[in-house]
Amino acid sequence: RGLGDVYKRQVLTFVIIGWLLIGQSNAQTFHAKVDSLIRLAEKSPDKRKVLLYDTLSRMFWGRSADSSLLFAKQSMQYAEKTKDLYSLSVAYNSLGNAYIEVMEPNLAIENYKISKGYREKLNDKVGIANSIHNMSLAYMDLNMFSEALSLLKEGVSLCPVSYTPLRAHETVLDLV
């Protein structure tokens, strides 16, 4: 073994330690954000709680389906208290998203339809298109491609502009 091998091992060791520290730091940052949003939600008015718990639900997409569903249900709890149409539309959409996470596309579709109904009452074209788009994705999960395509066409005709739903929720994270 030469000096080159020792050097390669040291570099590899430092790379692995660095990678582990970065991963740990990202996990700590994630949990710190979650804790901050939960604390913020605890002292917020109910309408804001709906948005904060929806944001928390989204944060757990791809990480923990059960946590995503738990926070979506909390969003719904506060939306029902407010009886506010916008809050209800957000909470039902959040539940739909969480049911996709737990691989229950039929339940997701039911919630997206209810969300769409509230958004129609509000004349929220972007929200309606979002609900339709979400339903189409759920139909794709069920291998019901003709239904999904039909919904995609409906959504695009309703709201042809590009829209990223998460952008609306990025501002909630700025509150922390």
Side-chain angles (χ1 to χ4, degrees):
R1 294 184 177 193
L3 263 156
D5 289 337
V6 172
Y7 178 73
K8 286 179 189 176
R9 274 191 194 195
Q10 287 177 340
V11 169
L12 183 59
T13 302
F14 285 122
V15 168
I16 291 171
I17 290 172
W19 178 74
L20 290 172
L21 289 174
I22 289 170
Q24 184 179 14
S25 172
N26 287 342
Q28 288 173 343
T29 302
F30 174 79
H31 291 295
K33 285 181 182 178
V34 168
D35 291 343
S36 293
L37 286 173
I38 290 170
R39 282 193 305 277
L40 183 61
E42 289 170 352
K43 20 183 190 182
S44 294
D46 288 347
K47 284 184 183 181
R48 182 176 281 173
K49 284 179 183 177
V50 171
L51 297 175
L52 290 167
Y53 285 119
D54 172 56
T55 300
L56 284 159
S57 176
R58 291 171 185 267
M59 288 175 68
F60 280 94
W61 291 354
R63 285 180 179 256
S64 170
D66 291 335
S67 295
S68 178
L69 183 58
L70 174 75
F71 286 119
K73 286 179 178 180
Q74 287 181 289
S75 179
M76 177 57 71
Q77 173 188 340
Y78 290 104
E80 287 174 337
K81 281 177 70 175
T82 69
K83 296 182 179 25
D84 174 67
L85 297 181
Y86 178 74
S87 295
L88 288 163
S89 77
V90 167
Y92 276 105
N93 190 69
S94 186
L95 271 176
N97 292 336
Y99 281 122
I100 288 294
E101 285 291 305
V102 296
M103 298 180 190
E104 293 284 350
N106 288 311
L107 291 173
I109 291 167
E110 288 177 31
N111 283 280
Y112 291 143
K113 285 180 180 178
I114 296 169
S115 175
K116 179 179 174 260
Y118 284 115
R119 290 169 171 178
E120 287 170 341
K121 289 178 184 176
L122 293 165
N123 198 28
D124 176 5
K125 290 191 187 272
V126 172
I128 296 165
N130 186 329
S131 292
I132 291 170
H133 176 258
N134 288 341
M135 280 189 279
S136 73
L137 294 174
Y139 277 111
M140 281 190 238
D141 286 350
L142 293 168
N143 295 322
M144 299 173 73
F145 300 110
S146 60
E147 290 86 346
L149 182 58
S150 175
L151 285 167
L152 284 171
K153 288 177 181 177
E154 180 185 348
V156 168
S157 70
L158 225 173
C159 189
V161 293
S162 174
Y163 176 71
T164 306
L166 289 177
R167 291 224 169 119
H169 297 282
E170 287 173 353
T171 56
V172 174
L173 293 175
D174 293 336
L175 296 172
V176 180

